[in-house]
Amino acid sequence: MIKTLNSWRGIFAICIVCFHFKMHAFDQMTYAGVTFFFMLSGFLVAYRHSRIDSCKRLYWHRLKRIFPLHWIVLAAMILLDITIMHKFHYGWDLPLHLLLLQSWIPKEEVFYNYSIHSWFLSSLMFCVIVTPLLLKFLVTSNRKLAWGVIIAACLAVTAVNLSADEHWHNYLYVCPATRLVDYSLGMLLGITLRERSLASQISVTRATFHELVPLAVLAVFGIFHASGNAVAISLESSALWWLPVSLLLVTCTILNGQEGIVGKLLILKPLLWLGSISFEIYLLQKFVNNACCYLVAPFFGHFGILIYDYSFACTLPLLIITAWAVNRLMRKV
């Protein structure tokens, strides 16, 4: 287990929640975080599974992890909509959401409908489905050929993002085919690191220096994006963050067990605990916010303050508590 990567899960999950509460200071960390989650998923699969046969366990684990909670959150959202919020907007696309196929439809009113954040699960499931084929290619192919194919795919995604209009740019952010490039890049990094001997006997000072490098690169890319540069905005969906996220994955893996000052802070129990419930935090955020606005806010003289306005201070603690409770419950099932 690479503990620092687990803590980064929690940090990025909280940044994503803050972004959805219109806290624009977290914009860059959110875009980087989404790329991080896709790349990390592929990275851990390849780093842990050296044989294609072991993918069967991966399928079962991912299905058991993703679908039950997704269905629970979707049912809770629908129930809240009908009973409290009095919304009745369920149509032909509901089966797509049940099966996590909504991200294949290039319409925001479809892939962002119902449980809005489940688009991530839709794209991730496609990546999981094609994992055996990817793993077979990446493991058996010449390493230079594998890197050449992945780099070509990255360049293709970059070119498409640069030429896309606003509608297609928004869709490329959620498109499973686009996110497969992130996932594949993470897989190839995992395979490459698994085949190499990791560093040993490194001092805390040197480890700290190595830990600061990806953070500095992430900060530089974040400043570039925050500047409003047209190129940066076009590439914000994934391409802009491949380098800093790759450096973060590599550094945390190489320094696993011999962390510097940054790593020692990351492996503190509160951050590790936050990382362990990051999946639930991400998926439950809209439901908890809506429930807070319609069930809790009325006790304080407000009713129906929706879409994250003025409810962050109340919602975040409830979200973390709910995520922890659901995580414990799902583990027992």
Side-chain angles (χ1 to χ4, degrees), residues 124-144:
L124 181 60
M125 282 307 302
F126 172 67
C127 296
V128 173
I129 289 170
V130 300
T131 290
L133 295 176
L134 280 174
L135 192 60
K136 182 177 181 180
F137 168 73
L138 295 175
V139 169
T140 60
S141 297
N142 177 276
R143 194 61 63 241
K144 290 182 179 180

Side-chain angles (χ1 to χ4, degrees), residues 94-263:
L94 181 56
L96 297 178
H97 285 260
L98 286 169
L99 298 174
L100 289 176
L101 297 173
Q102 70 271 27
S103 290
W104 288 103
I105 308 300
K107 295 182 179 180
E108 286 194 36
E109 61 269 25
V110 175
F111 58 74
Y112 282 157
N113 203 3
Y114 308 114
S115 181
I116 181 172
H117 306 301
S118 64
W119 73 262
F120 173 87
L121 303 183
S122 177
S123 295
L124 181 60
M125 282 307 302
F126 172 67
C127 296
V128 173
I129 289 170
V130 300
T131 290
L133 295 176
L134 280 174
L135 192 60
K136 182 177 181 180
F137 168 73
L138 295 175
V139 169
T140 60
S141 297
N142 177 276
R143 194 61 63 241
K144 290 182 179 180
L145 173 62
W147 274 108
V149 171
I150 296 301
I151 290 173
C154 290
L155 291 175
V157 169
T158 300
V160 171
N161 272 287
L162 287 173
S163 61
D165 60 23
E166 183 178 358
H167 166 74
W168 286 106
H169 182 261
N170 291 337
Y171 177 61
L172 289 171
Y173 183 74
V174 306
C175 179
T178 304
R179 289 304 180 174
L180 182 62
V181 176
D182 301 357
Y183 187 85
S184 302
L185 178 57
M187 286 189 71
L188 189 51
L189 283 173
I191 291 172
T192 303
L193 281 180
R194 192 185 66 217
E195 294 173 347
R196 295 180 178 272
S197 57
L198 302 183
S200 59
Q201 302 297 324
I202 187 171
S203 67
V204 173
T205 302
R206 188 178 177 184
T208 302
F209 172 77
H210 287 304
E211 290 168 342
L212 291 175
V213 171
L215 299 183
V217 174
L218 179 61
V220 170
F221 279 68
I223 292 171
F224 177 53
H225 178 268
S227 69
N229 184 280
V231 173
I233 299 302
S234 296
L235 302 179
E236 66 186 4
S237 60
S238 60
L240 187 66
W241 312 106
W242 286 330
L243 177 59
V245 171
S246 295
L247 289 174
L248 193 63
L249 293 174
V250 171
T251 302
C252 289
T253 303
I254 291 176
L255 298 178
N256 187 36
Q258 47 184 355
E259 293 81 8
I261 295 175
V262 176

